[in-house]
Structures are given as C-alpha cells and as structure tokens.
Amino acid sequence: METRSNHVLVGAVVLILLALLALFTVWIARLGGKEEKEYDIFFRQSVDGLARGSAVVFSGVPSGQVKTISLWKNDPQFVRVRISVNDETPVLQGTTASISGVGFTGVSQVSLDGARKGAPAVACPDVNGQPCPYGVPVIPTKQGGLGAILNSAPQLLERLSTLTERLTGLLTDRNQASIAGILENTNRLTDALADRGPEIAATLAQTRVAIQQAGDAAQQFGVLAKTTNGVLSEDVKPAMANLNKAIVSAQRSADTLNSAIGDARPGLQAFSKTTIPEANRLVRDLRTTAAALSSVAEKVDQQGASSLIGQQKLPDYKGK
C-alpha cells in the first residue's frame, strides 16, 4: 500500500510540474510575442479554399490568421469569419476585407486593404448605435477578383445562353442563304473593282490634275482680287470722291432753285389769278372787234363805200 501511495504522489507531482512548465512556456511565449486583435468578417459569398489557420494579409503583408469559420445564425446567407491580426496592423475606418486565391493551389486567404492615413481605428459603435454582433469590431467586405467572377458566373452563363439562342435564331437556313448571297455580291463587287482598277487609277490621276488646276485658279483669283483692290483704291475711290462732290454741288443748286421758286410763288399766284383772266377778256374783245371789222370789210367789198354812209336800201316790193 505504501509503495502504491508513493507512486500516486510522484505521478501527481509530475503532472503538476508539467502543468506549471506548460503555463510558464505559454507565459514566456506571450512575453516574447505580440498582442493580437480579433475582428469579425461577414462574407455574403462562398469561402471555398478558406480554412481555420488560413493566412490574413494586409496589402500583401502577412498579418494574422483565421480563427473560426461558421455560418451566421441570424442569416445563413452570410459566413462569419473571425480573424486575429497583430496589434501593429492598421485596421482603420475604410479598411475592407476580401477573399483572394493563393496561386493555383486552390488555397484562399483573407486580404485586407484600404487604410486611410489619420482615420480612426475600426471599433464597435457607441451605445446609441448597433452593437457588434459578437463583441468584436466588424470589417466590411468587398468582392475580390475570384469572388466577383464566381458571383457573376450565373448572370454570365444566362447571358451566354441568351446570346447562343439569338445566334441560333439568326443563323437559320434562310438567313444563311441571305448571308451567302451577300458574300457572293461582295465578291462580285470586289472583282468588278479589281477589273476597273486602271480606270479608277486614271480617274484619280485626273482628279489630282483637277485639284491642281483648282489650286492654280484659286491662286490667280487671289492675284485678281489683289489687283481689283488696288484699282479700287487708286482709280475708283478718287472718282467716287469727285462724284460725291458733284452730288453735293447739285444738291446746293437744287436748294437754291427751291428758294427762288419760293420767292416767285406769290407773283405767280397773282399772275394766275388777275392777269390771266384780264388777258382772256382782252382776247375775247379782240375777237369781237376782229369779227366786226371783217363784217365791215365784207360790206364795203360787196356794196361799196357808200354803204357805210347811206341808209340801207329796202328791197323792192312787187304786188300780186
């Protein structure tokens, strides 16, 4: 009995010493290591290739590891990934998390990036805000290259299927015959253009000559315009100046004539109102006098001068 009791006592002492050694080792490791911070990340996508112990990098620099992976009980569409990173990792406001693949091995890792200088550290909201679901700060997510491709794969496949259906509907027998006719007409047109190659070259040559002639004509037109400007400035402008002077003189003469007519207007009005009626009466009297003289001359001519002195002879009366 005493031997057995000693063995139990020795075993218990050894176990206690081993536990103390383990605790001392852990304590020494913590003293020599760095403090770590934990964060939760809620991915709304597949986390294939990610496992417990997977690496966590910040801008490509190894910074921690994945602690746990589990479905979020409140919404199974999300996968909750808890990570731990060293205290020096700048997880600040604006930092986002994504899943990225490591080469072609199929292994994935959590990538952090997007820290802004001077921004506050990510922390749980205040009392007035929403608390952290599991007591640690939450890092928002963004879709990485692989995740974005995987998430958009259904839409891409649907679009490819739609495109295939449309191509199938487009490439019917009738449309294929039409396309074949179009290609045949195109070949004919190409052959016709090839046959007309010399004529096209000649036309292009004539076009170049016409363009050159047009350039020469434009140059000559510019010279003519310059000459016309010189003639206008040297000959026409002095003539125009003399013509303007003549017009001014004619205007002055017209003004003088208008003044003279204005001065003579009262005399003309008196002449037309007084002299012209008297002249008319005089003309009538002269006409009457002329008629009387004509009558006297005719009488003298027929009866002689005695007819002016004697009485008028009565006609002879004969009885029946």
Side-chain angles (χ1 to χ4, degrees), residues 151-292:
N151 288 337
S152 62
Q155 297 179 357
L156 181 60
L157 291 176
E158 183 179 359
R159 292 179 180 177
L160 287 175
S161 177
T162 303
L163 179 61
T164 304
E165 292 177 358
R166 292 182 178 179
L167 288 175
T168 303
L170 179 63
L171 296 177
T172 59
D173 295 338
R174 181 178 179 182
N175 292 337
Q176 288 180 2
S178 300
I179 294 173
I182 292 172
L183 293 176
E184 184 177 358
N185 293 331
T186 303
N187 290 332
R188 291 179 181 177
L189 179 60
T190 305
D191 295 337
L193 289 175
D195 295 336
R196 297 288 183 176
E199 296 181 2
I200 295 174
T203 303
L204 291 176
Q206 293 177 359
T207 303
R208 293 192 186 96
V209 173
I211 293 173
Q212 184 176 1
Q213 292 177 354
D216 296 338
Q219 185 177 2
Q220 293 177 0
F221 183 77
V223 175
L224 178 61
K226 187 181 295 184
T227 305
T228 304
N229 291 330
V231 171
L232 288 174
S233 60
E234 295 178 1
D235 298 335
V236 178
K237 288 184 178 179
M240 291 296 295
N242 295 330
L243 181 60
N244 291 330
K245 292 180 181 179
I247 291 172
V248 172
S249 299
Q251 185 67 34
R252 291 176 181 174
S253 300
D255 294 338
T256 304
L257 181 59
N258 289 330
S259 299
I261 291 172
D263 295 336
R265 186 171 296 169
L268 293 174
Q269 290 179 353
F271 178 78
S272 61
K273 292 181 179 179
T274 305
T275 306
I276 292 176
E278 292 180 355
N280 289 333
R281 286 196 296 270
L282 178 61
V283 170
R284 285 198 297 271
D285 293 341
L286 290 175
R287 287 178 180 174
T288 303
T289 304

Side-chain angles (χ1 to χ4, degrees), residues 11-308:
V13 171
V14 171
L15 290 176
I16 292 173
L17 290 176
L18 290 174
L20 291 175
L21 181 61
L23 291 175
F24 178 76
T25 303
V26 171
W27 180 70
I28 292 296
R30 288 190 174 183
L31 287 178
K34 298 180 180 179
E35 295 184 2
E36 294 182 347
K37 294 182 179 180
E38 293 185 346
Y39 299 92
D40 277 341
I41 305 172
F42 294 87
F43 290 103
R44 193 174 183 176
Q45 65 184 67
S46 175
V47 292
D48 291 338
L50 200 65
R52 185 177 179 181
S54 296
V56 177
V57 297
F58 191 97
S59 297
V61 178
S63 302
Q65 63 180 353
V66 176
K67 288 291 186 181
T68 60
I69 300 176
S70 63
L71 293 174
W72 191 26
K73 297 179 180 180
N74 297 337
D75 190 351
Q77 293 182 356
F78 291 90
V79 178
R80 183 175 70 90
V81 177
R82 175 162 291 190
I83 63 172
S84 63
V85 297
N86 55 53
D87 187 48
E88 296 179 353
T89 303
V91 182
L92 308 176
Q93 294 290 340
T95 301
T96 57
S98 61
I99 297 176
S100 60
V102 181
F104 297 97
T105 60
V107 179
S108 300
Q109 64 184 9
V110 177
S111 298
L112 305 178
D113 58 7
R116 296 194 301 262
K117 182 179 180 180
V122 175
C124 288
D126 297 334
V127 178
N128 295 331
Q130 295 292 333
C132 295
Y134 295 95
V136 295
V138 177
I139 300 176
T141 62
K142 73 172 183 179
Q143 290 186 351
L146 180 61
I149 294 174
L150 292 176
N151 288 337
S152 62
Q155 297 179 357
L156 181 60
L157 291 176
E158 183 179 359
R159 292 179 180 177
L160 287 175
S161 177
T162 303
L163 179 61
T164 304
E165 292 177 358
R166 292 182 178 179
L167 288 175
T168 303
L170 179 63
L171 296 177
T172 59
D173 295 338
R174 181 178 179 182
N175 292 337
Q176 288 180 2
S178 300
I179 294 173
I182 292 172
L183 293 176
E184 184 177 358
N185 293 331
T186 303
N187 290 332
R188 291 179 181 177
L189 179 60
T190 305
D191 295 337
L193 289 175
D195 295 336
R196 297 288 183 176
E199 296 181 2
I200 295 174
T203 303
L204 291 176
Q206 293 177 359
T207 303
R208 293 192 186 96
V209 173
I211 293 173
Q212 184 176 1
Q213 292 177 354
D216 296 338
Q219 185 177 2
Q220 293 177 0
F221 183 77
V223 175
L224 178 61
K226 187 181 295 184
T227 305
T228 304
N229 291 330
V231 171
L232 288 174
S233 60
E234 295 178 1
D235 298 335
V236 178
K237 288 184 178 179
M240 291 296 295
N242 295 330
L243 181 60
N244 291 330
K245 292 180 181 179
I247 291 172
V248 172
S249 299
Q251 185 67 34
R252 291 176 181 174
S253 300
D255 294 338
T256 304
L257 181 59
N258 289 330
S259 299
I261 291 172
D263 295 336
R265 186 171 296 169
L268 293 174
Q269 290 179 353
F271 178 78
S272 61
K273 292 181 179 179
T274 305
T275 306
I276 292 176
E278 292 180 355
N280 289 333
R281 286 196 296 270
L282 178 61
V283 170
R284 285 198 297 271
D285 293 341
L286 290 175
R287 287 178 180 174
T288 303
T289 304
L293 291 175
S294 296
S295 177
V296 171
E298 184 179 358
K299 189 176 181 179
V300 171
D301 185 36
Q302 293 179 359
Q303 300 179 6
S306 60
S307 62
L308 297 175

